[in-house]
Amino acid sequence: MLFPTGMARLAAAALGEATNGRFEIKIWNEFVEALLAGNFPDEKIRPYDPARHLAAAELLDQIRRRASHEELEKKPEVNRVGDHVHYLLPLTAGGSTDTYCFTLLVEQNEWYFRHMGGLFLRLDEVTALPTVSFPDLPESVKAWVREEIAATEQVRLFNLLDSQRGREAAFDWFRDGDGYFLAARTWVPLVPPWKAFLLYVCWEQANLRGSMVTLDELTEASARVNLASIFLHLYERTVHLKLQISHADYQRLFETVWHDRARAAGWGLEISYQGNSCVFRFRR
């Protein structure tokens, strides 16, 4: 025997890990080659939710068009969990570099694209128990996650109401102006109601929603607020929303909410857009 029994087992395990590692990198290289070639094979797409097959195909096309080919061809961090392989790879987009998780399903030595996400939790690092500490995300990222969950639920409800009650009734459901103005008056009691509303808009959007807000003007007769709304940015960056609602209806949903809030507080409102940001001009 070249090794004692225990050593032989360790050597065999190490050989198996090395072999698996090479196989998983081979899979990654094949995936990247298919991705960069364009016209990704439809039969190679198996999302977690089969209803999102089209969204997964659109996502792959976006990755091909926007991601750096040089970065995609680099060796990723490989994590195998059962019949799934998760590849972590830094990619640069919009001037910033973030780590993305590509998930492939492996069945009988064949691979299939499952999912890609820029948001994931390293809860695999939770090992020693008991613990009260769990790996977290930056506040700005958690604000995005909360708004994506809320927007997805709004769109789902809008589509349900549209199918059951009609389009106008669906939009009317989201008119929450009276309650929003009441919240402004009770949360900001030390200034006049007209002013409380405008200040509450800025506070709520900046500190609860996590959007970028600039208050440029504030008088009894007029006000101007610049809003880089996460809600608006979501439509461009979240594939599944594009498949569930048109851009026109998504924008109208946004405007329905804000026009009704302004009405309840006694303001007229004009909204102009600058890309995925907007300017609110309030007048009385």
Side-chain angles (χ1 to χ4, degrees):
M1 294 178 63
L2 294 175
F3 302 102
T5 303
M7 292 293 291
R9 289 174 180 166
L10 289 175
L15 179 61
E17 290 178 3
T19 301
N20 288 340
R22 288 196 296 270
F23 175 65
E24 289 149 2
I25 290 299
K26 176 177 177 291
I27 287 174
W28 173 256
N29 291 337
E30 290 177 359
F31 164 73
V32 171
E33 183 180 359
L35 175 66
L36 298 184
N39 297 318
F40 195 90
D42 193 62
E43 67 276 8
K44 282 288 190 179
I45 302 175
R46 289 192 187 177
Y48 286 115
D49 180 0
R52 295 196 174 187
H53 189 101
L54 185 58
E58 172 64 22
L59 176 61
L60 287 168
D61 189 55
Q62 286 189 17
I63 296 168
R64 180 184 62 81
R65 288 185 284 106
R66 298 181 181 181
S68 162
H69 292 193
E70 291 76 13
E71 289 180 331
L72 283 168
E73 291 170 343
K74 290 181 178 179
K75 184 177 180 180
E77 176 188 332
V78 180
N79 296 269
R80 183 151 192 170
V81 182
D83 56 1
H84 288 85
V85 187
H86 308 281
Y87 300 91
L88 306 185
L89 186 71
L91 294 175
T92 303
S96 64
T97 301
D98 299 292
T99 298
Y100 292 82
C101 180
F102 292 80
T103 298
L104 303 184
L105 170 68
V106 179
E107 289 184 344
Q108 299 178 348
N109 291 333
E110 292 289 334
W111 59 265
Y112 306 91
F113 175 73
R114 201 72 151 159
H115 181 73
M116 190 282 281
L119 299 177
F120 57 93
L121 300 168
R122 292 306 305 255
L123 295 180
D124 55 301
E125 297 174 355
V126 177
T127 54
L129 302 179
T131 182
V132 296
S133 178
F134 304 93
D136 203 357
L137 297 170
E139 284 300 320
S140 59
V141 176
K142 289 191 287 187
W144 180 276
V145 172
R146 286 190 289 266
E147 194 72 349
E148 181 176 341
I149 292 171
T152 300
E153 180 60 21
Q154 280 184 310
V155 169
R156 188 190 69 82
L157 179 57
F158 171 81
N159 286 332
L160 176 65
L161 293 171
D162 184 18
S163 66
Q164 294 184 349
R165 302 185 183 181
R167 180 159 300 260
E168 295 309 313
F171 281 114
D172 286 344
W173 179 272
F174 294 93
R175 298 182 190 277
D176 64 352
D178 293 326
Y180 192 88
F181 185 40
L182 177 60
R185 285 178 289 168
T186 55
W187 278 73
V188 192
L190 306 183
V191 298
W194 65 266
K195 190 174 185 179
F197 169 75
L198 295 167
L199 293 173
Y200 181 74
V201 166
C202 297
W203 178 87
E204 184 258 347
Q205 286 295 296
N207 296 334
L208 286 187
R209 298 293 186 176
S211 296
M212 294 291 294
V213 180
T214 303
L215 178 59
D216 286 330
E217 178 188 342
L218 179 59
T219 71
E220 276 195 70
S222 64
R224 185 172 68 250
V225 176
N226 284 280
L227 176 63
S229 168
I230 292 177
F231 183 88
L232 293 177
H233 281 261
L234 277 168
Y235 193 83
E236 178 185 351
R237 294 180 55 185
T238 307
V239 175
H240 72 270
L241 289 175
K242 292 186 179 70
L243 300 177
Q244 295 174 25
I245 188 172
S246 69
H247 181 266
D249 282 345
Y250 191 79
Q251 183 170 301
R252 184 181 170 188
L253 188 60
F254 176 80
E255 293 175 354
T256 296
V257 168
W258 283 109
H259 280 294
D260 194 59
R261 290 173 176 179
R263 171 205 58 78
W267 289 96
L269 173 62
E270 295 178 3
I271 303 176
S272 59
Y273 295 93
Q274 300 172 344
N276 290 317
S277 298
C278 64
V279 177
F280 287 169
R281 289 182 172 85
F282 296 94
R283 291 185 175 85
R284 292 204 300 171

